[in-house]
């Protein structure tokens, strides 16, 4: 695992250098993916990395968990509460009955905030998406997927937990059910309709319940546009 971590750290450093930038900025949610990014960022850049907590009417427990990570790794970190910004935006637009359209505003506001600080400090934005989420499109287009670097995109959720243990992420964060935090009492597995273990079996072409396999295939197909740049007309 040390070799993997060393390669990730070197990749972050070389990617920032190639872009003629100084460091990295990332969102810190209190979840395991962002905690792993925090640990790697500290190893790669120390003073030239910035963690940003961006609550939007968020669970207080998530903020406590984010602070655990800040204290554990002695991070440079700030908090920007986007709750009022979210309220102003949602009060300004046409109302509808698509709850996800509202929920996805949150990661898009966070992306905008990260890029503001990235440009201010000449940093690159680091995303937290992992291979499991990316495979089925379990992320917000131009939200949490909006980043310059994606260090974890080739690691499944199981591998993320292994990295977290090696990097000594606090146990409380490793043990909590993964959640995108888009609404109250949400968990990733409940929303997807299958477990991360099932998803890893699919990724590894292992035997899987037929109904779950078909559900995952449908998600992969329907989310293909999320993994690509905008489609352009060619003359």
């Amino acid at each position: 695992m040390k070799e993997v971590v060393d390669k990730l750290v070197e990749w972050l450093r070389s990617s920032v250098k190639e872009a003629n930038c100084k460091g990295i900025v990332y969102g810190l949610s209190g979840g395991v993916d962002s905690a792993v990014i925090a640990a790697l960022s500290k190893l790669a850049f120390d003073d030239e990395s910035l963690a940003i907590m961006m609550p939007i009417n968020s669970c207080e427990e998530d903020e406590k968990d984010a602070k655990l990570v800040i204290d554990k790794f002695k991070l440079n970190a700030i908090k920007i509460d986007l709750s009022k910004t979210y309220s102003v935006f949602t009060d300004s637009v046409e109302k509808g009955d698509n709850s996800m359209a509202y929920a996805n505003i949150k990661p898009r506001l966070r992306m905008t905030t990260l890029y503001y600080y990235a440009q201010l400090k000449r940093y690159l934005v680091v995303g937290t998406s992992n291979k499991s989420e990316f495979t089925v499109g379990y992320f917000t287009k131009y939200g949490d997927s909006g980043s310059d670097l994606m260090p974890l995109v080739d690691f499944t959720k199981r591998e993320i937990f292994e990295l977290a243990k090696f990097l000594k992420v606090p146990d409380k964060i490793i043990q909590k059910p993964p959640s995108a935090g888009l609404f109250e009492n949400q968990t990733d597995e409940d929303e997807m309709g299958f477990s991360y273990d099932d998803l890893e079996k699919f990724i590894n072409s292992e035997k899987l319940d037929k109904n779950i396999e078909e559900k995952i295939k449908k998600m992969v197909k329907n989310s293909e546009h999320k993994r690509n740049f905008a489609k352009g007309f060619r003359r």
Side-chain angles (χ1 to χ4, degrees):
M1 190 60 71
K2 183 180 184 302
E3 183 180 353
V4 173
V5 169
D6 288 345
K7 286 181 178 179
L8 281 165
V9 168
E10 180 53 36
W11 181 80
L12 284 169
R13 288 173 178 162
S14 62
S15 297
V16 169
K17 185 177 180 180
E18 286 170 10
N20 195 29
C21 289
K22 294 167 53 182
I24 51 182
V25 59
Y26 56 93
L28 189 65
S29 66
V32 68
D33 298 306
S34 69
V36 168
I37 290 296
L40 293 171
S41 299
K42 183 69 174 181
L43 289 171
F45 289 100
D46 196 7
D47 291 337
E48 292 292 356
S49 62
L50 177 64
I52 307 183
M53 295 184 292
M54 295 169 282
I56 303 177
N57 305 319
S58 302
C59 170
E60 289 184 10
E61 202 62 32
D62 287 341
E63 187 172 331
K64 290 179 183 177
D65 291 342
K67 288 177 179 176
L68 273 180
V69 177
I70 292 169
D71 293 341
K72 171 70 178 180
F73 298 114
K74 296 180 172 55
L75 304 176
N76 295 325
I78 59 174
K79 174 184 172 181
I80 300 173
D81 194 325
L82 296 171
S83 301
K84 185 177 179 180
T85 307
Y86 175 78
S87 295
V88 170
F89 185 91
T90 53
D91 287 344
S92 302
V93 296
E94 178 184 346
K95 302 299 181 285
D97 58 3
N98 187 329
S99 61
M100 287 309 298
Y102 287 100
N104 282 326
I105 293 168
K106 296 178 180 181
R108 289 177 177 132
L109 288 174
R110 291 175 179 133
M111 179 273 292
T112 301
T113 304
L114 289 172
Y115 271 98
Y116 169 76
Y117 277 93
Q119 190 165 2
L120 195 68
K121 294 177 172 289
R122 200 148 59 86
Y123 284 2
L124 292 182
V125 174
V126 176
T128 62
S129 293
N130 59 61
K131 186 173 186 175
S132 301
E133 296 166 347
F134 202 73
T135 297
V136 293
Y138 190 67
F139 56 86
T140 299
K141 191 173 185 177
Y142 302 122
D144 48 327
S145 67
S147 60
D148 301 306
L149 303 174
M150 299 178 75
L152 306 182
V153 77
D154 201 35
F155 295 85
T156 64
K157 196 70 173 186
R158 176 185 58 80
E159 292 172 316
I160 297 299
F161 283 119
E162 290 175 358
L163 279 168
K165 289 173 184 175
F166 179 81
L167 292 164
K168 295 183 169 46
V169 167
D171 287 340
K172 183 175 185 290
I173 292 167
I174 294 174
Q175 292 165 6
K176 69 190 286 190
S179 170
L182 296 181
F183 45 86
E184 192 174 357
N185 297 321
Q186 177 212 24
T187 69
D188 293 354
E189 293 181 328
D190 283 347
E191 190 176 0
M192 290 189 296
F194 46 81
S195 69
Y196 275 114
D197 286 342
D198 285 334
L199 183 48
E200 179 144 358
K201 288 178 183 176
F202 176 84
I203 291 169
N204 294 332
S205 300
E206 297 174 9
K207 189 174 180 181
L208 186 62
D209 177 88
K210 197 67 179 175
N211 290 331
I212 293 175
E213 183 179 3
E214 289 305 313
K215 188 168 191 173
I216 294 173
K217 283 182 177 178
K218 184 177 180 181
M219 285 185 71
V220 172
K221 182 180 179 181
N222 290 346
S223 63
E224 185 61 35
H225 68 97
K226 298 172 77 174
R227 289 180 290 275
N228 296 308
F229 282 113
K231 196 172 183 179
F233 172 75
R234 294 288 183 264
R235 292 184 294 173

